[in-house]
Amino acid sequence: MTVDVLRRPALADRRARLAVAVLFFTNGALFANLLPRYPQIKADLGIGNAAYGLAVAAFPAGAITAGLAAGILVRRFGSARVAVGGTLLTGVGILAAGLADSVVVFAAALFLAGAMDAFTDVAQNAHGLRVQRRYGRSIINSFHAIWSIGAVTGGSMAAAAIALGVARGPHLLFSAVVFSVAACVALRHCLPGPESEAEPAAEKRAEPAAQTGAEDCAPSPLRAPAAGLRTGWVLAALVLIATAGTLVEDAGMSWATLYLSDSLHATAALAASGYVALVGAQFVGRIVGDRLVDRFGQRAVARSGALIAAVGMGLALAVPTVPGTVLGFAAAGFGVATLVPAAMHEADELPGLKPGSGLTLVSWLMRLGFLLSPPVVGLVADATSLRVGLLVVPLAGVLVLLCAGVLRPRRS
């Protein structure tokens, strides 16, 4: 174990933790300012559910297209700079999407925002894991909790702007400028130096093997393929777990406001509360997530959360009311709170992969959920109803129950 793990975090490390928290906050707040505007944009563009689903799928499509380049950029320019640069360009894309006068421009702007968000997502998580290794204990869930605070803040800003009759242009311009400035200030306090902080963790994982004797550590032509196959299966399961989390998040981002306003006839301001409830409960789950994981293990926490999400949203869809639906989205958000951080952390610790490779792959592949979910839900909604399309949320909970066995159990 290294001295950095044992010592009390230095002032620079605490400042870096705060800086990473600001980056997560701005990332959550930027896009959340656009989401409650979706019903207005959909109405102004005069498009149906299927076309709308395809258009908003441009955001994850951009993320998937650009996602694998994030690791290259991080190694070339550093995770902090990539995170901030991605934040600035995400703000530009979101502003352009809000001002779009055609579905093509709307989709193109979301494609740009999604690509830049992918860079920011990988980079801020990579920098957060650097800080976590300096602390020597789990703090990654707290960063994702701050993201949820940012999302609640952004969604509340948008709801207030709608209630006050503020036009989309001034509202989204203000949001982009404020959060871009905050990200630039945070950059000054991020960790300096190259992206080499993963080495101590790798060394620490290797210590038990080194203590078992030289013969156990010797390369084996029989063991290597088996170990590689197991790593591949675990990585695939982690991707499914993270994707399930993103499916639930997308349901809140893309469809909660529409479902509450169109299907349940809630007011525009009240309809925004579905997404706010989801990310607000997600924040609570992430605040307590690190302690729950330390006490019960990541596996038990994920399974319990999946059950809460499946049952809570399932009941909300079975008995559709505005209060019940808001509570259902809250249950879903709380239930999946730790899934994406858990999958990223487990992937970053997988043996046999270069530092950061597992994190990049999970972050990239989980966005398939964001890509596939909007058009699939839109097609189902046009064929049946949006209520049926939102069954994707309880189904995501079932998927986690099936895959959670790859996560770490409680430590003895």
Side-chain angles (χ1 to χ4, degrees):
M1 187 173 294
T2 64
V3 175
D4 282 344
V5 173
L6 291 174
R7 67 176 173 82
R8 178 184 176 87
L11 178 60
D13 298 335
R14 295 196 296 271
R15 287 177 175 174
R17 181 179 182 178
L18 179 60
V20 174
V22 171
L23 294 178
F24 272 83
F25 179 88
T26 58
N27 184 247
L30 270 174
F31 195 51
N33 267 278
L34 178 65
L35 296 177
R37 295 288 192 171
Y38 273 179
Q40 295 176 338
I41 295 173
K42 179 174 179 288
D44 290 346
L45 296 179
I47 56 178
N49 286 325
Y52 166 79
L54 289 171
V56 297
F59 185 90
I64 290 173
T65 302
L68 286 181
I72 299 173
L73 292 175
V74 165
R75 288 190 292 271
R76 175 66 178 83
F77 299 104
S79 55
R81 291 175 181 171
V82 173
V84 173
T87 297
L88 300 182
L89 293 175
T90 299
V92 172
I94 289 172
L95 176 61
L99 298 176
D101 57 0
S102 71
V103 66
V104 174
V105 174
F106 177 58
L110 287 180
F111 186 92
L112 170 65
M116 297 303 103
D117 180 74
F119 295 157
T120 300
D121 185 40
V122 172
Q124 68 186 9
N125 275 285
H127 208 79
L129 288 170
R130 283 186 66 187
V131 176
Q132 175 172 279
R133 281 186 281 270
R134 291 191 175 223
Y135 268 69
R137 57 185 173 85
S138 178
I139 59 173
I140 191 65
N141 279 301
S142 67
F143 289 135
H144 286 262
I146 297 297
W147 184 93
S148 298
I149 295 179
V152 171
T153 301
S156 300
M157 287 173 60
I162 292 170
L164 295 174
V166 179
R168 289 198 300 269
H171 160 220
L172 294 176
L173 177 62
F174 174 79
S175 168
V177 171
V178 168
F179 297 122
S180 294
V181 170
C184 290
V185 172
L187 178 61
R188 299 181 57 189
H189 302 288
C190 289
L191 295 175
E195 303 298 311
S196 59
E197 297 294 331
E199 295 176 5
E203 293 171 1
K204 189 168 64 174
R205 290 195 302 271
E207 282 180 8
Q211 293 170 359
T212 61
E215 59 185 27
D216 292 332
C217 296
S220 169
L222 296 178
R223 292 177 185 171
L229 182 62
R230 173 173 172 74
T231 297
W233 280 113
V234 172
L235 186 62
L238 293 175
V239 169
L240 290 176
I241 291 171
T243 301
T246 60
L247 285 173
V248 175
E249 290 182 17
D250 178 74
M253 290 192 297
S254 300
W255 300 105
T257 303
L258 284 174
Y259 179 64
L260 284 163
S261 61
D262 293 353
S263 300
L264 301 184
H265 310 294
T267 63
L270 182 59
S273 64
Y275 174 69
V276 173
L278 185 145
V279 294
Q282 191 178 58
F283 160 73
V284 174
R286 286 171 172 172
I287 281 292
V288 301
D290 287 317
R291 283 175 287 178
L292 290 176
V293 168
D294 287 340
R295 181 170 182 178
F296 301 107
Q298 192 66 259
R299 185 183 301 171
V301 172
R303 284 175 172 165
S304 299
L307 187 62
I308 291 172
V311 173
M313 196 64 193
L315 289 175
L317 293 173
V319 186
T321 64
V322 172
T325 299
V326 172
L327 290 175
F329 277 112
F334 182 84
V336 303
T338 65
L339 295 185
V340 173
M344 287 183 168
H345 178 257
E346 293 283 349
D348 200 50
E349 297 288 324
L350 279 177
L353 298 178
K354 293 180 180 179
S357 297
L359 171 62
T360 300
L361 285 171
V362 168
S363 179
W364 182 64
L365 290 172
M366 76 176 186
R367 291 178 180 272
L368 287 173
F370 279 125
L371 176 63
L372 297 176
S373 177
V376 169
V377 173
L379 289 171
V380 172
D382 280 347
T384 55
S385 67
L386 185 52
R387 178 184 172 191
V388 175
L390 286 174
L391 284 173
V392 68
V393 176
L395 289 177
V398 174
L399 179 62
V400 174
L401 287 171
L402 295 175
C403 297
V406 300
L407 298 174
R408 297 180 187 181
R410 179 183 179 183
R411 294 178 181 178
S412 58

